Amino acid sequence: MTKTLSLAIAFLTGIGMIFIGARFLIAPETAELGYGIHFNEQGDYSFHYIKGIRDLFSGLLICTFLVSKQTKALAITLLLGTIIPVVDMLIVLTKEYNGITQAIPHISAIVVCFLFGILLLRNKKEQSNGYHGFAKIIQSADTHSESVIEYAIVPTEKTPWHYHTLFSETFEVLKGTLEVGQNNQVYQLKQGDSVTIMPNEKHYFHNISTADCLVKVTISSGNKNFENALLILKGLAKDGFASASGVPAKLSDLALFVYLNNSRMVGLQKIAEPLFNYIAARAIKNGRLKELELTYCRE
């Protein structure tokens, strides 16, 4: 509820900034009075236009972050943007003909930018801390013939049916329970149980319990991309860029995950595989993969 309210106020702030900016460009003298100062321009509205384009840009930036769901960037923009109404207020109050009444709009802007910037950042932090999944590299393909990763599968987290061509997977449940489908069989694994999925064997896993499932997966032969895929997946989820079940929010990030862990789709999903390959290739070309690796795959 707090996040929704904060986003709504941020949207209104953005629209308000666009309106104020447009008014300084279209009706500079009227906008000047609303700002709280007045002077004899003698037909020269250069400074009005400068302020107008500043406010117009600020409003468009806020709305762009909202539309693209860049909550953290929006929060930081609001917090840093507080300096604008602070300076505006000081300018207005330096005029002898003004009092606190003329400063009220600027004080309101200060409160809105600072308060809702803090609330959005706090909400982001709470969202991040609410995700319990993690991935930890126990043994890397950099130095060993097998990759060994320990990671937590949160409740409802599930993969679709898929297969790998480059390696086998051995799942060992360290804590909790895990449903694993392998070809035409479905297994309910408990602590101490394990199952090995060979290359080209279709499979899925699903945490159908209400508690996290801790597993150790061994990849043979070792695969660095698979290691990075899990680190990125869990990192995105922890930072709030994924659904409650851990699916990346951005399609390009999901496509990169599928690419990195050598997943091949089965059934009707196979139709979407060329599209996912294209999206992943574009994301790699645009530097998104490098960005994710730098963020989540450092030692």
Side-chain angles (χ1 to χ4, degrees), residues 107-174:
I107 295 173
S108 300
I110 293 170
V111 172
V112 167
C113 289
F114 184 79
L115 176 61
F116 289 101
I118 289 292
L119 287 175
L120 285 172
L121 274 183
R122 181 182 176 187
N123 181 274
K124 194 68 178 178
K125 183 177 180 181
E126 289 175 350
Q127 183 180 10
S128 299
N129 291 339
Y131 184 81
H132 305 292
F134 69 89
K136 181 171 64 175
I137 307 300
I138 305 299
Q139 181 176 292
S140 176
D142 286 335
T143 54
H144 296 79
S145 60
E146 295 180 329
S147 298
V148 180
I149 307 106
E150 183 178 300
Y151 67 102
I153 303 173
V154 300
T156 74
E157 186 172 346
K158 178 182 181 180
T159 68
W161 282 99
H162 65 285
Y163 64 93
H164 306 285
T165 61
L166 300 179
F167 46 77
S168 66
E169 291 178 284
T170 298
F171 292 95
E172 179 184 352
V173 177
L174 304 179

Side-chain angles (χ1 to χ4, degrees), residues 161 179-183 185-187 197 202-206:
W161 282 99
E179 179 179 282
V180 177
Q182 180 183 22
N183 292 327
Q185 301 293 323
V186 176
Y187 303 99
I197 311 295
K202 67 176 185 178
H203 62 283
Y204 77 88
F205 67 75
H206 184 195

Side-chain angles (χ1 to χ4, degrees), residues 8-280:
I9 296 297
F11 174 73
L12 293 176
T13 301
I15 295 298
M17 293 294 290
I18 292 172
F19 169 77
I20 293 171
R23 188 167 67 165
F24 265 98
L25 295 174
I26 298 170
E29 292 185 6
T30 302
E32 173 190 313
L33 293 175
Y35 180 84
I37 60 174
H38 54 82
F39 56 91
N40 185 9
E41 302 89 355
Q42 297 182 339
D44 183 2
Y45 300 114
S46 299
F47 283 103
H48 299 71
Y49 297 150
I50 291 171
K51 173 167 171 51
I53 200 65
R54 181 199 73 177
D55 290 346
L56 186 62
F57 169 77
S58 299
L60 289 172
L61 188 65
I62 289 172
C63 290
T64 299
F65 284 144
L66 273 167
V67 172
S68 60
K69 299 181 180 179
Q70 300 294 322
T71 307
K72 185 175 181 180
L74 173 61
I76 293 173
T77 299
L78 288 174
L79 284 174
L80 294 179
T82 304
I83 192 174
I84 295 176
V86 167
V87 173
D88 288 348
M89 178 191 68
L90 294 176
I91 292 173
V92 169
L93 290 177
T94 58
K95 305 301 179 182
E96 295 180 355
Y97 48 78
N98 283 332
I100 193 66
T101 301
Q102 287 71 30
I104 288 177
H106 306 291
I107 295 173
S108 300
I110 293 170
V111 172
V112 167
C113 289
F114 184 79
L115 176 61
F116 289 101
I118 289 292
L119 287 175
L120 285 172
L121 274 183
R122 181 182 176 187
N123 181 274
K124 194 68 178 178
K125 183 177 180 181
E126 289 175 350
Q127 183 180 10
S128 299
N129 291 339
Y131 184 81
H132 305 292
F134 69 89
K136 181 171 64 175
I137 307 300
I138 305 299
Q139 181 176 292
S140 176
D142 286 335
T143 54
H144 296 79
S145 60
E146 295 180 329
S147 298
V148 180
I149 307 106
E150 183 178 300
Y151 67 102
I153 303 173
V154 300
T156 74
E157 186 172 346
K158 178 182 181 180
T159 68
W161 282 99
H162 65 285
Y163 64 93
H164 306 285
T165 61
L166 300 179
F167 46 77
S168 66
E169 291 178 284
T170 298
F171 292 95
E172 179 184 352
V173 177
L174 304 179
K175 180 181 178 181
T177 60
L178 183 68
E179 179 179 282
V180 177
Q182 180 183 22
N183 292 327
N184 298 320
Q185 301 293 323
V186 176
Y187 303 99
Q188 304 296 331
L189 303 184
K190 299 180 181 180
Q191 184 174 344
D193 293 340
S194 64
V195 63
T196 297
I197 311 295
M198 299 305 294
N200 299 308
E201 280 192 326
K202 67 176 185 178
H203 62 283
Y204 77 88
F205 67 75
H206 184 195
N207 184 354
I208 59 176
S209 72
T210 58
D212 290 356
C213 177
L214 184 62
V215 302
K216 181 175 74 174
V217 60
T218 301
I219 304 299
S220 184
S221 57
N223 190 283
K224 185 65 176 180
N225 278 347
F226 185 93
E227 297 171 17
N228 288 346
L230 283 183
L231 292 174
I232 290 171
L233 181 71
K234 297 300 181 179
L236 286 171
K238 186 176 181 181
D239 285 346
F241 301 119
S243 68
S245 59
V247 179
K250 294 179 65 174
L251 182 60
S252 59
D253 291 345
L254 177 59
L256 284 173
F257 172 75
V258 172
Y259 160 77
L260 286 174
N261 77 353
N262 181 234
S263 286
R264 298 291 184 266
M265 301 177 184
V266 300
L268 291 176
Q269 298 175 90
K270 196 75 175 177
I271 300 173
E273 196 166 69
L275 176 61
F276 269 65
N277 291 339
Y278 171 77
I279 294 173

